Amino acid sequence: MSHTPGVRQAQKQQTRQALLDAGLRLLEHQNLSSLGLRELTREIGVSPAAFYRHFPDMADLGVALVAESLGSLHTVIRAVLAEGADSAELIDRTVALTAAYVAEHRAHVRFIARERHGGVARVREAIAAELNGFADEVAAGLAAQPVSAGWPADDLRVLAELYVDHMVMTAAAFLEAPADDPAARDRIIHAARMRMRVISIGRAHWLDPEA
């Protein structure tokens, strides 16, 4: 009997995760605003009342999916920042990491791409907050690099936003590329590298007196 609370908590967590997983599956072809509560609970064989033991409403489930979708990206961003300033090797690694993340988390990336401008305000706000957090993290990493000496903090924040927006745009492009079209993937990689190179060149000359 002493283990009963622990078992119940594990079962509760299992049901919560099942709801998240089912939501992600069902959102492959629709928006969160169109997903019905009964459709979701029927997917895993629980009652609508069981849903409310885990989430106050569907928007709250969407916010939880945002955290699940973007949480692991912090590790990717830290790995990139740890390699230092811009270089051809760093650009290649950043694009490769983005491609790998999309390959491993296609459903999550699709959810973020669709709901970033979707009809559920709290989910849009949660995505924006996560992306702002990424920009803060990137800005802090950039500030620690010698090449950023003399840069105003506001300018570094704008630069960080450029990198984050580029990552999101590249991830969306990889998501849309046909799986059986390696040429399309190569074009995305080439364009992503070029855009990062343009940003890098601009960064290198931002403080030039003639700029």
Side-chain angles (χ1 to χ4, degrees):
M1 293 295 293
S2 63
H3 295 292
T4 300
V7 171
R8 288 177 178 171
Q9 183 60 33
Q11 291 173 337
K12 183 177 180 180
Q13 182 59 38
Q14 186 177 28
T15 301
R16 184 180 188 277
Q17 188 60 52
L19 286 166
L20 289 170
D21 293 343
L24 202 59
R25 287 195 304 273
L26 293 170
L27 289 170
E28 182 177 358
H29 301 296
Q30 62 181 308
N31 295 322
L32 180 63
S33 57
S34 67
L35 178 61
L37 173 61
R38 291 187 180 280
E39 179 185 6
L40 174 63
T41 54
R42 186 167 56 245
E43 179 75 7
I44 63 169
V46 299
S47 68
F51 173 89
Y52 291 112
R53 288 197 286 271
H54 303 276
F55 303 102
D57 51 35
M58 292 294 286
D60 195 67
L61 178 133
V63 171
L65 280 174
V66 171
E68 183 178 87
S69 299
L70 295 177
S72 59
L73 266 180
H74 288 282
T75 302
V76 175
I77 289 174
R78 292 189 190 106
V80 171
L81 291 173
E83 297 196 11
D86 302 322
S87 67
E89 292 78 11
L90 178 57
I91 288 173
D92 289 349
R93 176 161 167 72
T94 301
V95 175
L97 284 171
T98 303
Y101 187 85
V102 173
E104 294 173 13
H105 304 87
R106 290 187 67 84
H108 289 97
V109 174
R110 182 182 295 107
F111 168 75
I112 295 299
R114 180 177 288 138
E115 299 300 331
R116 187 182 183 189
H117 304 292
V120 183
R122 283 174 52 206
V123 173
R124 292 198 310 270
E125 292 164 1
I127 294 172
E130 285 282 355
L131 296 180
N132 282 334
F134 291 145
D136 289 339
E137 194 168 342
V138 172
L142 295 175
Q145 297 174 357
V147 71
S148 297
W151 274 65
D154 288 347
D155 290 0
L156 278 177
R157 186 58 165 72
V158 172
L159 178 63
E161 290 172 359
L162 280 176
Y163 281 122
V164 172
D165 286 345
H166 174 271
M167 179 185 68
V168 173
M169 180 171 59
T170 301
F174 278 124
L175 183 66
E176 297 301 323
D180 59 350
D181 189 353
R185 175 185 165 87
D186 290 343
R187 287 193 295 271
I188 293 168
I189 292 173
H190 176 74
R193 288 171 175 167
M194 182 178 294
R195 284 192 295 268
M196 284 199 70
R197 183 59 180 155
V198 169
I199 295 172
S200 299
I201 292 172
R203 180 188 185 190
H205 297 282
W206 184 248
L207 298 179
D208 288 356
E210 298 83 4

